[in-house]
Amino acid sequence: MNYQWYPGHMTKAVRMMQENIKLIDLIIELVDARIPLSSRNPDIDKLAAGKSRIVLLNKSDLADPVYNRQWIRFFESQNAHVLEVNSKTGSGVKSIQGLVQEACKEKIERDRRRGIVNRPVRAMVVGIPNVGKSTFINAFAGKACTKTGNKPGVTKGKQWIRMGKGLELLDTPGILWPKFEDQQVGMRLAFIGSMNDEVIIMDELACDLIHCLQQLYPQTLPQRYDICGTEEPPFVLAEIAKSRGCYGRGQELDLEKAASLLMEDYRSGRLGRITLERPVSPGL
Ligand code: G4P
């Protein structure tokens, strides 16, 4: 299948993001812990030049804990400040304030030398669509925060959320674009449900996922569906259809239905905590 995708609203989002980035000191970049590289923006280093950076492995509850740890080490080896979080439950989110101080140490020190005290760090959350930006902002900002903005000197429409002392967060996240032209990236984004399913042929996607799982987690499909799971992917999909009673009207196997069921099981975590990208680094 050809994994092609470029959502129409992206050009406007990119322009807004480039405008907002000028206003901030710190970028809080969300990636999906199941595919930390494919869910990243290819130009982030250029976009974030001169800014402090935090990388958050979001949806870490759906990813393999062994690889969460490896990915943390990977990003740390690239001098990033990293944390694993689950924005849905808020787990890990509390530790971010401490990390902000660390990530912005130089800026805070520079301000202090210039006699500027108590100037808050201004931060923006960025990430590709569906990575969990809004969920994260809600979890991080919670109800206790006060909104600034619509005051003289604050650009109309831009809202800064005051996060205790020393940090202000832009309430609208920056939407980044993934590496569209890379088919492997497109495929992985489709696996996690971050590509419009309407442009996807579900049973082909399911077969690609089966192939990946056979390589990376060979026990997963046999255990979940009580099947052998070692044949070519289309046969495995048929096994899943049989095992789950996916039949059409004439009692023929309904592979579309089995494919949707498999994808939903994967995306919701019912297949277990599965990381589809592994870090490759000499330090690991
Ligand atoms: P976005 O702003 O980056 O586009 O993403 P958004 O917050 O809308 O989140 C996209 C989906 O990811 C939502 O699911 C959200 O609940 C889920 N999500 C965000 N963070 C986490 C996380 O850490 N763990 C898990 N398991 N899920 C997370 P949805 O199906 O679109 O909505 P809902 O049914 O959960 O309400």
Side-chain angles (χ1 to χ4, degrees), residues 249-266:
R249 283 199 173 168
Q251 288 307 298
E252 76 282 9
L253 288 175
D254 188 342
L255 297 180
E256 267 301 295
K257 193 169 164 193
S260 298
L261 186 143
L262 170 67
M263 295 317 302
E264 188 44 41
D265 278 353
Y266 170 64

Side-chain angles (χ1 to χ4, degrees), residues 30 58-62 85-89 127-136 173:
L30 261 68
N58 193 38
K59 307 198 188 186
S60 59
D61 54 307
L62 298 174
V85 294
N86 172 352
S87 297
K88 226 170 161 172
T89 61
I128 65 165
N130 207 39
V131 76
K133 297 177 294 298
S134 310
T135 313
F136 168 74

Side-chain angles (χ1 to χ4, degrees), residues 75-96:
F75 286 116
E76 280 175 349
S77 75
Q78 300 197 334
N79 297 322
H81 298 269
V82 201
L83 261 183
E84 56 177 289
V85 294
N86 172 352
S87 297
K88 226 170 161 172
T89 61
S91 152
V93 168
K94 276 212 178 88
S95 315
I96 294 170

Side-chain angles (χ1 to χ4, degrees), residues 2-15 18 41-43 129 175-183 186 189 194-196 199-200:
N2 192 12
Y3 292 100
Q4 281 298 345
W5 180 60
Y6 193 94
H9 62 269
M10 208 46 112
T11 321
K12 193 175 155 217
V14 168
R15 220 179 305 126
Q18 283 164 340
N41 173 272
D43 305 318
I175 304 171
L176 294 173
W177 56 102
K179 203 172 174 188
F180 295 114
E181 62 286 357
D182 185 323
Q183 286 287 302
L189 290 170
S194 287
M195 190 183 278
N196 188 352
V199 300
I200 282 174

